[in-house]
PDB file of all heavy atoms in Angstrom:
ATOM      1  N   LEU A 287      10.061  13.278 -30.476  1.00 81.00           N
ATOM      2  CA  LEU A 287      10.481  11.932 -30.881  1.00 81.00           C
ATOM      3  C   LEU A 287      11.936  11.920 -31.336  1.00 81.00           C
ATOM      4  O   LEU A 287      12.412  10.972 -31.944  1.00 81.00           O
ATOM      5  CB  LEU A 287       9.584  11.399 -31.998  1.00 81.00           C
ATOM      6  CG  LEU A 287       8.119  11.164 -31.648  1.00 81.00           C
ATOM      7  CD1 LEU A 287       7.362  10.662 -32.865  1.00 81.00           C
ATOM      8  CD2 LEU A 287       7.982  10.187 -30.499  1.00 81.00           C
ATOM      9  N   ASN A 288      12.655  13.016 -31.043  1.00 83.00           N
ATOM     10  CA  ASN A 288      14.068  13.153 -31.422  1.00 83.00           C
ATOM     11  C   ASN A 288      14.274  13.162 -32.932  1.00 83.00           C
ATOM     12  O   ASN A 288      15.308  12.721 -33.424  1.00 83.00           O
ATOM     13  CB  ASN A 288      14.928  12.039 -30.791  1.00 83.00           C
ATOM     14  CG  ASN A 288      15.241  12.322 -29.334  1.00 83.00           C
ATOM     15  OD1 ASN A 288      14.843  13.346 -28.791  1.00 83.00           O
ATOM     16  ND2 ASN A 288      15.966  11.428 -28.704  1.00 83.00           N
ATOM     17  N   LYS A 289      13.285  13.667 -33.670  1.00 86.00           N
ATOM     18  CA  LYS A 289      13.394  13.775 -35.119  1.00 86.00           C
ATOM     19  C   LYS A 289      13.621  15.229 -35.516  1.00 86.00           C
ATOM     20  O   LYS A 289      12.907  16.123 -35.061  1.00 86.00           O
ATOM     21  CB  LYS A 289      12.124  13.239 -35.805  1.00 86.00           C
ATOM     22  CG  LYS A 289      11.899  11.748 -35.615  1.00 86.00           C
ATOM     23  CD  LYS A 289      13.006  10.939 -36.268  1.00 86.00           C
ATOM     24  CE  LYS A 289      12.761   9.449 -36.142  1.00 86.00           C
ATOM     25  NZ  LYS A 289      13.870   8.658 -36.722  1.00 86.00           N
ATOM     26  N   ALA A 290      14.638  15.463 -36.373  1.00 90.00           N
ATOM     27  CA  ALA A 290      14.937  16.827 -36.811  1.00 90.00           C
ATOM     28  C   ALA A 290      13.836  17.328 -37.744  1.00 90.00           C
ATOM     29  O   ALA A 290      13.476  16.650 -38.704  1.00 90.00           O
ATOM     30  CB  ALA A 290      16.287  16.858 -37.515  1.00 90.00           C
ATOM     31  N   ILE A 291      13.324  18.524 -37.467  1.00 93.00           N
ATOM     32  CA  ILE A 291      12.229  19.092 -38.259  1.00 93.00           C
ATOM     33  C   ILE A 291      12.719  20.244 -39.131  1.00 93.00           C
ATOM     34  O   ILE A 291      12.394  20.322 -40.316  1.00 93.00           O
ATOM     35  CB  ILE A 291      11.101  19.595 -37.332  1.00 93.00           C
ATOM     36  CG1 ILE A 291      10.694  18.505 -36.337  1.00 93.00           C
ATOM     37  CG2 ILE A 291       9.914  20.057 -38.160  1.00 93.00           C
ATOM     38  CD1 ILE A 291      10.233  17.217 -36.957  1.00 93.00           C
ATOM     39  N   LEU A 292      13.489  21.149 -38.545  1.00 92.00           N
ATOM     40  CA  LEU A 292      13.981  22.328 -39.254  1.00 92.00           C
ATOM     41  C   LEU A 292      15.488  22.454 -39.082  1.00 92.00           C
ATOM     42  O   LEU A 292      16.043  22.052 -38.058  1.00 92.00           O
ATOM     43  CB  LEU A 292      13.322  23.604 -38.709  1.00 92.00           C
ATOM     44  CG  LEU A 292      11.853  23.841 -39.061  1.00 92.00           C
ATOM     45  CD1 LEU A 292      11.325  25.025 -38.261  1.00 92.00           C
ATOM     46  CD2 LEU A 292      11.673  24.109 -40.543  1.00 92.00           C
ATOM     47  N   TYR A 293      16.135  23.055 -40.103  1.00 94.00           N
ATOM     48  CA  TYR A 293      17.587  23.222 -40.086  1.00 94.00           C
ATOM     49  C   TYR A 293      17.917  24.597 -40.654  1.00 94.00           C
ATOM     50  O   TYR A 293      17.556  24.909 -41.792  1.00 94.00           O
ATOM     51  CB  TYR A 293      18.227  22.112 -40.924  1.00 94.00           C
ATOM     52  CG  TYR A 293      19.725  22.218 -41.119  1.00 94.00           C
ATOM     53  CD1 TYR A 293      20.596  22.011 -40.059  1.00 94.00           C
ATOM     54  CD2 TYR A 293      20.255  22.495 -42.381  1.00 94.00           C
ATOM     55  CE1 TYR A 293      21.967  22.084 -40.242  1.00 94.00           C
ATOM     56  CE2 TYR A 293      21.632  22.573 -42.573  1.00 94.00           C
ATOM     57  CZ  TYR A 293      22.482  22.365 -41.496  1.00 94.00           C
ATOM     58  OH  TYR A 293      23.836  22.447 -41.675  1.00 94.00           O
ATOM     59  N   LYS A 294      18.565  25.450 -39.849  1.00 95.00           N
ATOM     60  CA  LYS A 294      18.929  26.791 -40.290  1.00 95.00           C
ATOM     61  C   LYS A 294      20.387  27.056 -39.923  1.00 95.00           C
ATOM     62  O   LYS A 294      20.859  26.605 -38.884  1.00 95.00           O
ATOM     63  CB  LYS A 294      18.031  27.848 -39.634  1.00 95.00           C
ATOM     64  CG  LYS A 294      16.552  27.741 -39.994  1.00 95.00           C
ATOM     65  CD  LYS A 294      16.303  28.073 -41.453  1.00 95.00           C
ATOM     66  CE  LYS A 294      14.833  28.005 -41.806  1.00 95.00           C
ATOM     67  NZ  LYS A 294      14.596  28.304 -43.242  1.00 95.00           N
ATOM     68  N   TYR A 295      21.076  27.813 -40.789  1.00 94.00           N
ATOM     69  CA  TYR A 295      22.489  28.090 -40.526  1.00 94.00           C
ATOM     70  C   TYR A 295      22.875  29.447 -41.084  1.00 94.00           C
ATOM     71  O   TYR A 295      22.194  30.019 -41.943  1.00 94.00           O
ATOM     72  CB  TYR A 295      23.371  27.000 -41.150  1.00 94.00           C
ATOM     73  CG  TYR A 295      23.212  26.870 -42.652  1.00 94.00           C
ATOM     74  CD1 TYR A 295      23.929  27.663 -43.532  1.00 94.00           C
ATOM     75  CD2 TYR A 295      22.312  25.940 -43.181  1.00 94.00           C
ATOM     76  CE1 TYR A 295      23.767  27.542 -44.901  1.00 94.00           C
ATOM     77  CE2 TYR A 295      22.143  25.817 -44.546  1.00 94.00           C
ATOM     78  CZ  TYR A 295      22.872  26.624 -45.409  1.00 94.00           C
ATOM     79  OH  TYR A 295      22.702  26.514 -46.763  1.00 94.00           O
ATOM     80  N   ILE A 296      23.992  29.970 -40.565  1.00 94.00           N
ATOM     81  CA  ILE A 296      24.595  31.184 -41.104  1.00 94.00           C
ATOM     82  C   ILE A 296      26.109  31.000 -41.095  1.00 94.00           C
ATOM     83  O   ILE A 296      26.678  30.548 -40.095  1.00 94.00           O
ATOM     84  CB  ILE A 296      24.175  32.445 -40.304  1.00 94.00           C
ATOM     85  CG1 ILE A 296      24.761  33.702 -40.962  1.00 94.00           C
ATOM     86  CG2 ILE A 296      24.553  32.338 -38.838  1.00 94.00           C
ATOM     87  CD1 ILE A 296      24.203  34.999 -40.391  1.00 94.00           C
ATOM     88  N   PHE A 297      26.757  31.274 -42.230  1.00 92.00           N
ATOM     89  CA  PHE A 297      28.206  31.142 -42.368  1.00 92.00           C
ATOM     90  C   PHE A 297      28.836  32.530 -42.454  1.00 92.00           C
ATOM     91  O   PHE A 297      28.391  33.381 -43.223  1.00 92.00           O
ATOM     92  CB  PHE A 297      28.573  30.346 -43.621  1.00 92.00           C
ATOM     93  CG  PHE A 297      28.280  28.873 -43.526  1.00 92.00           C
ATOM     94  CD1 PHE A 297      28.373  28.064 -44.652  1.00 92.00           C
ATOM     95  CD2 PHE A 297      27.915  28.284 -42.332  1.00 92.00           C
ATOM     96  CE1 PHE A 297      28.113  26.706 -44.583  1.00 92.00           C
ATOM     97  CE2 PHE A 297      27.650  26.930 -42.245  1.00 92.00           C
ATOM     98  CZ  PHE A 297      27.746  26.138 -43.369  1.00 92.00           C
ATOM     99  N   ASP A 298      29.882  32.712 -41.699  1.00 88.00           N
ATOM    100  CA  ASP A 298      30.615  33.981 -41.719  1.00 88.00           C
ATOM    101  C   ASP A 298      31.169  34.276 -43.107  1.00 88.00           C
ATOM    102  O   ASP A 298      31.257  35.438 -43.522  1.00 88.00           O
ATOM    103  CB  ASP A 298      31.752  33.926 -40.695  1.00 88.00           C
ATOM    104  CG  ASP A 298      32.662  35.139 -40.761  1.00 88.00           C
ATOM    105  OD1 ASP A 298      32.291  36.184 -40.217  1.00 88.00           O
ATOM    106  OD2 ASP A 298      33.755  35.030 -41.374  1.00 88.00           O
ATOM    107  N   ILE A 299      31.510  33.224 -43.847  1.00 85.00           N
ATOM    108  CA  ILE A 299      32.093  33.409 -45.176  1.00 85.00           C
ATOM    109  C   ILE A 299      31.083  34.056 -46.129  1.00 85.00           C
ATOM    110  O   ILE A 299      31.450  34.760 -47.073  1.00 85.00           O
ATOM    111  CB  ILE A 299      32.606  32.058 -45.734  1.00 85.00           C
ATOM    112  CG1 ILE A 299      33.490  32.294 -46.961  1.00 85.00           C
ATOM    113  CG2 ILE A 299      31.453  31.125 -46.050  1.00 85.00           C
ATOM    114  CD1 ILE A 299      34.191  31.028 -47.417  1.00 85.00           C
ATOM    115  N   ASP A 300      29.775  33.855 -45.890  1.00 84.00           N
ATOM    116  CA  ASP A 300      28.729  34.447 -46.723  1.00 84.00           C
ATOM    117  C   ASP A 300      28.262  35.795 -46.181  1.00 84.00           C
ATOM    118  O   ASP A 300      27.908  36.694 -46.942  1.00 84.00           O
ATOM    119  CB  ASP A 300      27.530  33.498 -46.811  1.00 84.00           C
ATOM    120  CG  ASP A 300      27.899  32.165 -47.431  1.00 84.00           C
ATOM    121  OD1 ASP A 300      28.730  32.155 -48.355  1.00 84.00           O
ATOM    122  OD2 ASP A 300      27.359  31.138 -46.973  1.00 84.00           O
ATOM    123  N   ASN A 301      28.231  35.886 -44.863  1.00 85.00           N
ATOM    124  CA  ASN A 301      27.707  37.079 -44.203  1.00 85.00           C
ATOM    125  C   ASN A 301      28.503  37.294 -42.915  1.00 85.00           C
ATOM    126  O   ASN A 301      28.250  36.604 -41.930  1.00 85.00           O
ATOM    127  CB  ASN A 301      26.220  36.882 -43.893  1.00 85.00           C
ATOM    128  CG  ASN A 301      25.596  38.105 -43.274  1.00 85.00           C
ATOM    129  OD1 ASN A 301      26.140  39.203 -43.338  1.00 85.00           O
ATOM    130  ND2 ASN A 301      24.443  37.909 -42.643  1.00 85.00           N
ATOM    131  N   PRO A 302      29.509  38.182 -42.917  1.00 88.00           N
ATOM    132  CA  PRO A 302      30.382  38.341 -41.753  1.00 88.00           C
ATOM    133  C   PRO A 302      29.603  38.528 -40.443  1.00 88.00           C
ATOM    134  O   PRO A 302      28.703  39.377 -40.358  1.00 88.00           O
ATOM    135  CB  PRO A 302      31.185  39.603 -42.087  1.00 88.00           C
ATOM    136  CG  PRO A 302      31.208  39.630 -43.576  1.00 88.00           C
ATOM    137  CD  PRO A 302      29.862  39.118 -44.010  1.00 88.00           C
ATOM    138  N   ILE A 303      29.933  37.691 -39.460  1.00 91.00           N
ATOM    139  CA  ILE A 303      29.253  37.748 -38.158  1.00 91.00           C
ATOM    140  C   ILE A 303      30.283  37.663 -37.041  1.00 91.00           C
ATOM    141  O   ILE A 303      31.369  37.095 -37.212  1.00 91.00           O
ATOM    142  CB  ILE A 303      28.232  36.598 -37.997  1.00 91.00           C
ATOM    143  CG1 ILE A 303      28.919  35.236 -38.204  1.00 91.00           C
ATOM    144  CG2 ILE A 303      27.049  36.759 -38.932  1.00 91.00           C
ATOM    145  CD1 ILE A 303      28.051  34.048 -37.827  1.00 91.00           C
ATOM    146  N   CYS A 304      29.942  38.211 -35.898  1.00 91.00           N
ATOM    147  CA  CYS A 304      30.712  38.054 -34.670  1.00 91.00           C
ATOM    148  C   CYS A 304      32.201  38.369 -34.865  1.00 91.00           C
ATOM    149  O   CYS A 304      33.065  37.582 -34.459  1.00 91.00           O
ATOM    150  CB  CYS A 304      30.529  36.648 -34.114  1.00 91.00           C
ATOM    151  SG  CYS A 304      28.817  36.186 -33.818  1.00 91.00           S
ATOM    152  N   ARG A 305      32.494  39.492 -35.471  1.00 90.00           N
ATOM    153  CA  ARG A 305      33.890  39.850 -35.744  1.00 90.00           C
ATOM    154  C   ARG A 305      34.541  40.615 -34.575  1.00 90.00           C
ATOM    155  O   ARG A 305      35.744  40.835 -34.579  1.00 90.00           O
ATOM    156  CB  ARG A 305      33.970  40.698 -37.018  1.00 90.00           C
ATOM    157  CG  ARG A 305      33.659  39.920 -38.306  1.00 90.00           C
ATOM    158  CD  ARG A 305      34.698  38.851 -38.571  1.00 90.00           C
ATOM    159  NE  ARG A 305      34.469  38.110 -39.789  1.00 90.00           N
ATOM    160  CZ  ARG A 305      34.998  38.432 -40.971  1.00 90.00           C
ATOM    161  NH1 ARG A 305      35.751  39.503 -41.095  1.00 90.00           N
ATOM    162  NH2 ARG A 305      34.745  37.691 -42.029  1.00 90.00           N
ATOM    163  N   GLU A 306      33.740  41.048 -33.591  1.00 91.00           N
ATOM    164  CA  GLU A 306      34.294  41.810 -32.476  1.00 91.00           C
ATOM    165  C   GLU A 306      34.720  40.889 -31.335  1.00 91.00           C
ATOM    166  O   GLU A 306      34.065  39.883 -31.061  1.00 91.00           O
ATOM    167  CB  GLU A 306      33.267  42.810 -31.960  1.00 91.00           C
ATOM    168  CG  GLU A 306      32.897  43.887 -32.961  1.00 91.00           C
ATOM    169  CD  GLU A 306      31.906  44.880 -32.387  1.00 91.00           C
ATOM    170  OE1 GLU A 306      31.640  44.810 -31.171  1.00 91.00           O
ATOM    171  OE2 GLU A 306      31.410  45.728 -33.154  1.00 91.00           O
ATOM    172  N   LYS A 307      35.819  41.245 -30.672  1.00 91.00           N
ATOM    173  CA  LYS A 307      36.261  40.497 -29.501  1.00 91.00           C
ATOM    174  C   LYS A 307      35.266  40.728 -28.366  1.00 91.00           C
ATOM    175  O   LYS A 307      34.773  41.834 -28.161  1.00 91.00           O
ATOM    176  CB  LYS A 307      37.653  40.943 -29.077  1.00 91.00           C
ATOM    177  CG  LYS A 307      38.211  40.168 -27.881  1.00 91.00           C
ATOM    178  CD  LYS A 307      39.619  40.616 -27.525  1.00 91.00           C
ATOM    179  CE  LYS A 307      40.141  39.834 -26.320  1.00 91.00           C
ATOM    180  NZ  LYS A 307      41.517  40.249 -25.946  1.00 91.00           N
ATOM    181  N   GLY A 308      34.966  39.653 -27.620  1.00 92.00           N
ATOM    182  CA  GLY A 308      33.999  39.758 -26.532  1.00 92.00           C
ATOM    183  C   GLY A 308      32.623  39.291 -26.955  1.00 92.00           C
ATOM    184  O   GLY A 308      32.485  38.410 -27.801  1.00 92.00           O
ATOM    185  N   VAL A 309      31.585  39.915 -26.409  1.00 94.00           N
ATOM    186  CA  VAL A 309      30.215  39.458 -26.619  1.00 94.00           C
ATOM    187  C   VAL A 309      29.639  40.008 -27.927  1.00 94.00           C
ATOM    188  O   VAL A 309      29.734  41.204 -28.202  1.00 94.00           O
ATOM    189  CB  VAL A 309      29.315  39.866 -25.442  1.00 94.00           C
ATOM    190  CG1 VAL A 309      27.876  39.400 -25.687  1.00 94.00           C
ATOM    191  CG2 VAL A 309      29.837  39.269 -24.141  1.00 94.00           C
ATOM    192  N   ASN A 310      29.053  39.099 -28.740  1.00 95.00           N
ATOM    193  CA  ASN A 310      28.383  39.461 -29.983  1.00 95.00           C
ATOM    194  C   ASN A 310      26.956  38.897 -29.946  1.00 95.00           C
ATOM    195  O   ASN A 310      26.681  37.907 -29.250  1.00 95.00           O
ATOM    196  CB  ASN A 310      29.115  38.875 -31.192  1.00 95.00           C
ATOM    197  CG  ASN A 310      30.503  39.481 -31.386  1.00 95.00           C
ATOM    198  OD1 ASN A 310      30.707  40.298 -32.252  1.00 95.00           O
ATOM    199  ND2 ASN A 310      31.485  39.058 -30.581  1.00 95.00           N
ATOM    200  N   TYR A 311      26.061  39.521 -30.728  1.00 95.00           N
ATOM    201  CA  TYR A 311      24.659  39.105 -30.707  1.00 95.00           C
ATOM    202  C   TYR A 311      24.161  38.848 -32.129  1.00 95.00           C
ATOM    203  O   TYR A 311      24.394  39.647 -33.033  1.00 95.00           O
ATOM    204  CB  TYR A 311      23.784  40.187 -30.062  1.00 95.00           C
ATOM    205  CG  TYR A 311      24.181  40.527 -28.645  1.00 95.00           C
ATOM    206  CD1 TYR A 311      25.056  41.581 -28.391  1.00 95.00           C
ATOM    207  CD2 TYR A 311      23.694  39.799 -27.563  1.00 95.00           C
ATOM    208  CE1 TYR A 311      25.436  41.906 -27.096  1.00 95.00           C
ATOM    209  CE2 TYR A 311      24.066  40.116 -26.265  1.00 95.00           C
ATOM    210  CZ  TYR A 311      24.933  41.168 -26.033  1.00 95.00           C
ATOM    211  OH  TYR A 311      25.311  41.480 -24.756  1.00 95.00           O
ATOM    212  N   ILE A 312      23.465  37.725 -32.317  1.00 95.00           N
ATOM    213  CA  ILE A 312      22.751  37.464 -33.569  1.00 95.00           C
ATOM    214  C   ILE A 312      21.404  36.839 -33.223  1.00 95.00           C
ATOM    215  O   ILE A 312      21.210  36.296 -32.120  1.00 95.00           O
ATOM    216  CB  ILE A 312      23.532  36.536 -34.537  1.00 95.00           C
ATOM    217  CG1 ILE A 312      23.782  35.165 -33.894  1.00 95.00           C
ATOM    218  CG2 ILE A 312      24.836  37.164 -34.988  1.00 95.00           C
ATOM    219  CD1 ILE A 312      24.366  34.157 -34.870  1.00 95.00           C
ATOM    220  N   SER A 313      20.456  36.896 -34.141  1.00 96.00           N
ATOM    221  CA  SER A 313      19.114  36.352 -33.910  1.00 96.00           C
ATOM    222  C   SER A 313      18.582  35.722 -35.185  1.00 96.00           C
ATOM    223  O   SER A 313      19.064  36.003 -36.284  1.00 96.00           O
ATOM    224  CB  SER A 313      18.145  37.465 -33.464  1.00 96.00           C
ATOM    225  OG  SER A 313      18.577  38.085 -32.285  1.00 96.00           O
ATOM    226  N   PHE A 314      17.590  34.869 -35.011  1.00 96.00           N
ATOM    227  CA  PHE A 314      16.836  34.330 -36.156  1.00 96.00           C
ATOM    228  C   PHE A 314      15.359  34.556 -35.883  1.00 96.00           C
ATOM    229  O   PHE A 314      14.849  34.197 -34.819  1.00 96.00           O
ATOM    230  CB  PHE A 314      17.108  32.849 -36.380  1.00 96.00           C
ATOM    231  CG  PHE A 314      16.516  32.343 -37.673  1.00 96.00           C
ATOM    232  CD1 PHE A 314      17.273  32.319 -38.830  1.00 96.00           C
ATOM    233  CD2 PHE A 314      15.188  31.923 -37.748  1.00 96.00           C
ATOM    234  CE1 PHE A 314      16.729  31.885 -40.040  1.00 96.00           C
ATOM    235  CE2 PHE A 314      14.643  31.489 -38.943  1.00 96.00           C
ATOM    236  CZ  PHE A 314      15.418  31.473 -40.091  1.00 96.00           C
ATOM    237  N   GLN A 315      14.660  35.119 -36.870  1.00 96.00           N
ATOM    238  CA  GLN A 315      13.246  35.454 -36.724  1.00 96.00           C
ATOM    239  C   GLN A 315      12.387  34.627 -37.680  1.00 96.00           C
ATOM    240  O   GLN A 315      12.603  34.650 -38.899  1.00 96.00           O
ATOM    241  CB  GLN A 315      13.028  36.939 -37.013  1.00 96.00           C
ATOM    242  CG  GLN A 315      11.575  37.374 -37.052  1.00 96.00           C
ATOM    243  CD  GLN A 315      10.975  37.541 -35.670  1.00 96.00           C
ATOM    244  OE1 GLN A 315      11.598  38.122 -34.792  1.00 96.00           O
ATOM    245  NE2 GLN A 315       9.771  37.006 -35.463  1.00 96.00           N
ATOM    246  N   PHE A 316      11.440  33.859 -37.124  1.00 96.00           N
ATOM    247  CA  PHE A 316      10.392  33.226 -37.928  1.00 96.00           C
ATOM    248  C   PHE A 316       9.196  34.180 -37.926  1.00 96.00           C
ATOM    249  O   PHE A 316       8.659  34.486 -36.859  1.00 96.00           O
ATOM    250  CB  PHE A 316       9.946  31.890 -37.322  1.00 96.00           C
ATOM    251  CG  PHE A 316      10.960  30.791 -37.395  1.00 96.00           C
ATOM    252  CD1 PHE A 316      11.836  30.585 -36.340  1.00 96.00           C
ATOM    253  CD2 PHE A 316      11.018  29.951 -38.485  1.00 96.00           C
ATOM    254  CE1 PHE A 316      12.767  29.557 -36.387  1.00 96.00           C
ATOM    255  CE2 PHE A 316      11.938  28.924 -38.544  1.00 96.00           C
ATOM    256  CZ  PHE A 316      12.822  28.729 -37.493  1.00 96.00           C
TER     257      PHE A 316
END
């Protein structure tokens, strides 16, 4: 119905991510 149910985020300022040039990988696990 186009209604938002869940909202998840990750900020580099809190947890450094994707610092390498080229391809980087991250995941979220429920």
Side-chain angles (χ1 to χ4, degrees):
L287 295 179
N288 281 359
K289 295 296 183 183
I291 309 302
L292 287 171
Y293 174 70
K294 297 292 182 181
Y295 59 85
I296 184 170
F297 288 170
D298 173 80
I299 193 171
D300 299 323
N301 183 17
I303 56 170
C304 304
R305 290 295 181 92
E306 295 182 8
K307 182 178 179 180
V309 179
N310 294 256
Y311 301 93
I312 61 172
S313 301
F314 189 93
Q315 173 78 45
F316 291 92

